[in-house]
Amino acid sequence: MSHEFPAETRTPRETRAITLAHLSDPHLPPPPVRWQDALNKRALSLLSWKKHRRHVHLAATCAAIVGDIAKNDVDAILVSGDLTNFGTPGEFALAANWLKQLPAPAMIIPGNHDCMIRQPAERGILQWKTWSAASYPYARIHDGVAVVGVNSGVPTPPFMAYGRVGRRQLARLEALLTRLGEAGLCRVVMIHHPPKRGLVTWRKALHDYRAFARVLRQAGAEIVLHGHSHDATLTHIPGTDIPLLGVASASLTDKREHRQACWNHLSIHPQDNGWAINMARHRPNGRITEKASWVRPRNSRT
């Protein structure tokens, strides 16, 4: 697959900003789950869905998020995992159809729900290769902006939802970020689990977050996006000033504002020696609840 967005979205980078929509954890309503597919950890997740999650993760809320994104004419939509609830083949197919209908080209990574159990890749994440890759990390490049997708989803024991990038992927990530930085590109890194202690409980955490942060300190990045926590947060990669931007679930209904469904609108403006990155956090009705901005130098490591 090409490492660029469709040709019709390309324009000289000095004439316009690149705009990205970041959403996560849509937890799309699942098709019926076959009993053969639930003789494992999925049974617990299915029980949770029936008792609670289906009442707060609403398709109408996610549709409102997508509708608001459509009104903002973005260049691409970044989805940082958990499109499914149980990671069944039928859910992967349903999510692929959803991705086809989004109002802009999409790039995705899997989350812990998408990697709930071990199964042949053809039944799972390879159904999303059009919007992702056959292996990780991957990069998609457009007008000086490189979106780098990292896979932190791994099968875990019951009641656990932690993630891990792993040594081999970390080594490839460091080499990839270094090459992209040397080429003078703006590196937008996308991972499902938040790579920082304290944003989720231990059973949901990225267990090699220190190694991930060490790679970013060595190779550099301009901003990191994550999901998983279902919280709208803004922090930094440990030991750096690299912004770490979390987003609430795109389908979640919650009384607490930081957990209400939202999406992040990123606008990346090229400058002589780097980029100005602006962020606006949108609710489903288009209301903006938070703004932030950064000036990031080229090939930044801290």
Side-chain angles (χ1 to χ4, degrees), residues 221-280:
E222 281 56 68
I223 190 168
V224 179
L225 313 178
H226 74 83
H228 187 50
S229 64
H230 294 187
D231 291 335
T233 54
L234 177 55
T235 57
H236 293 86
I237 294 295
T240 79
D241 63 359
I242 299 171
L244 176 60
L245 184 61
V247 67
S249 162
S251 61
L252 185 60
T253 299
D254 197 290
K255 293 180 179 180
R256 296 162 291 181
E257 185 169 80
H258 71 284
R259 289 182 66 82
Q260 293 171 5
C262 64
W263 66 280
N264 295 326
H265 189 179
L266 295 169
S267 180
I268 301 175
H269 303 256
Q271 298 182 336
D272 289 342
N273 296 312
W275 300 269
I277 303 176
N278 299 317
M279 185 278 291

Side-chain angles (χ1 to χ4, degrees), residues 11-294:
T11 60
R13 81 180 188 184
E14 65 272 12
T15 65
R16 65 187 290 271
I18 301 301
T19 55
L20 306 172
H22 170 220
L23 65 88
S24 194
D25 300 76
H27 291 291
L28 301 170
V33 177
R34 303 185 312 157
W35 67 268
Q36 298 97 321
D37 290 330
L39 298 177
N40 46 49
K41 181 182 175 180
R42 287 184 179 132
L44 292 173
S45 191
L46 185 60
L47 179 63
S48 174
W49 173 260
K50 289 184 177 294
K51 290 185 64 176
H52 171 67
R53 292 169 59 84
R54 66 189 177 100
H55 301 295
V56 295
H57 286 283
L58 305 180
T61 302
C62 187
I65 289 284
V66 173
D68 190 54
I69 291 173
K71 296 175 183 177
N72 285 270
D73 191 28
V74 299
D75 291 306
I77 299 173
L78 313 186
V79 186
S80 52
D82 277 0
L83 285 75
T84 74
N85 294 280
F86 320 117
T88 64
E91 285 182 287
F92 277 97
L94 181 149
N97 187 58
W98 179 77
L99 289 164
K100 292 175 185 176
Q101 299 178 54
L102 289 178
M107 284 167 283
I108 66 170
I109 53 171
N112 59 292
H113 280 262
D114 309 318
C115 301
M116 186 166 289
I117 69 165
R118 298 186 186 280
Q119 64 182 338
E122 294 77 12
R123 292 170 56 83
I125 60 176
L126 279 185
Q127 293 194 52
W128 296 346
K129 190 170 70 170
T130 298
W131 305 276
S132 188
S135 62
Y136 295 87
Y138 73 88
R140 299 289 182 267
I141 300 169
H142 178 57
D143 286 350
V145 175
V147 177
V148 178
V150 179
N151 181 10
S152 62
V154 293
T156 60
F159 306 108
M160 294 291 180
Y162 58 77
R164 186 181 296 112
V165 178
R167 292 182 180 180
R168 293 180 62 183
Q169 190 181 177
L170 285 170
R172 293 194 295 267
L173 176 64
E174 183 169 1
L176 177 60
L177 290 175
T178 299
R179 290 197 304 271
L180 295 171
E182 290 172 347
L185 302 177
C186 179
R187 297 157 296 179
V188 178
V189 179
M190 180 168 55
I191 185 170
H192 182 66
H193 294 77
K196 184 173 183 175
R197 185 177 181 180
L199 294 181
V200 292
T201 62
W202 179 86
R203 73 179 186 88
K204 296 183 178 181
L206 183 70
H207 282 190
D208 52 359
Y209 75 92
R210 291 186 181 90
F212 182 86
R214 185 164 54 247
V215 165
L216 267 65
R217 287 196 296 270
Q218 293 293 325
E222 281 56 68
I223 190 168
V224 179
L225 313 178
H226 74 83
H228 187 50
S229 64
H230 294 187
D231 291 335
T233 54
L234 177 55
T235 57
H236 293 86
I237 294 295
T240 79
D241 63 359
I242 299 171
L244 176 60
L245 184 61
V247 67
S249 162
S251 61
L252 185 60
T253 299
D254 197 290
K255 293 180 179 180
R256 296 162 291 181
E257 185 169 80
H258 71 284
R259 289 182 66 82
Q260 293 171 5
C262 64
W263 66 280
N264 295 326
H265 189 179
L266 295 169
S267 180
I268 301 175
H269 303 256
Q271 298 182 336
D272 289 342
N273 296 312
W275 300 269
I277 303 176
N278 299 317
M279 185 278 291
R281 208 182 299 274
H282 289 237
R283 300 300 173 183
N285 59 5
R287 182 170 62 96
I288 296 174
T289 59
E290 185 178 1
K291 290 185 177 181
S293 61
W294 307 270

